[in-house]
Amino acid sequence: MDFAELARELIEPMYLVHREKSVRHINQMSRGEEYVLLLLKDSKDSLFPRDISKIMGITSARVAAILRRLEEKGLVTRKASTTDHRCTKVIITEKGDSVIAAQQDKAVAYLTKVLTQLGQEDAVKYTEIMKKIYHNNNDIDRKEANK
């Protein structure tokens, strides 16, 4: 099997799917302000800006800009660490939690429509394949980092 040929064949439909408005919104949840809110929501407590920078793979200056905007909107607060006063913890506010919950609800509604159109069997297969791709990508990234 020629996997390179399959990859070439896959590029166009991937591009077309990702440029759709509803899919672009879901993609936006994986970067920028919405992603920071997701990280904070999932952290169950708080994160340090350096942790956000490392997870997202962006500079501390970019994180600072995102946090400033989120703070101005009342979606996060920053508090000095109780263990190290030189460090600042970032905490999602109730408003931030509500905003990201609403965004997740929109994403779930859209994906529910997509999966429904696929039908039960294909929806399950698609979900399994996407999970497998995610795990394989992590393995590839780790191997590349160790070179």
Side-chain angles (χ1 to χ4, degrees):
M1 174 172 276
D2 186 352
F3 286 105
E5 184 58 36
L6 280 174
R8 282 188 275 287
E9 187 178 324
L10 187 58
I11 288 172
E12 183 178 5
M14 284 180 67
Y15 168 75
L16 293 172
V17 166
H18 287 282
R19 78 174 204 201
E20 292 295 321
K21 183 180 178 184
S22 48
V23 175
R24 281 195 317 258
H25 174 73
I26 292 172
N27 287 339
Q28 288 172 344
M29 290 182 71
S30 67
R31 53 185 183 268
E33 294 178 14
E34 290 182 6
Y35 190 58
V36 170
L37 290 175
L38 282 169
L39 290 174
L40 291 168
K41 183 176 180 171
D42 289 344
S43 74
K44 307 285 189 243
D45 182 25
S46 62
L47 289 172
F48 292 105
R50 68 175 175 263
D51 298 327
I52 296 169
S53 176
K54 184 176 180 182
I55 292 166
M56 293 180 70
I58 60 176
T59 66
S60 58
R62 176 85 174 107
V63 170
I66 291 170
L67 294 178
R68 186 182 71 257
R69 286 192 305 275
L70 290 172
E71 200 168 27
E72 288 170 357
K73 295 175 184 178
L75 304 178
V76 301
T77 59
R78 296 189 234 196
K79 294 189 178 180
S81 170
T82 54
T83 57
D84 186 347
H85 295 290
R86 297 171 297 166
C87 298
T88 303
K89 292 168 47 167
V90 183
I91 303 162
I92 192 168
T93 63
E94 280 187 40
K95 183 178 177 183
D97 198 47
S98 295
V99 165
I100 202 61
Q103 295 298 338
Q104 286 179 310
D105 288 346
K106 285 181 188 177
V108 168
Y110 170 75
L111 289 173
T112 298
K113 290 176 188 176
V114 169
L115 295 174
T116 300
Q117 287 182 338
L118 287 175
Q120 183 176 346
E121 186 178 331
D122 285 346
V124 169
K125 285 179 187 176
Y126 175 76
T127 303
E128 289 171 355
I129 289 169
M130 290 303 292
K131 288 178 181 178
K132 190 172 186 176
I133 289 170
Y134 167 76
H135 293 294
N136 288 346
N137 284 347
N138 284 341
D139 291 343
I140 291 169
D141 289 346
R142 274 193 295 277
K143 289 175 185 173
E144 292 292 321
N146 291 330
K147 283 186 177 180

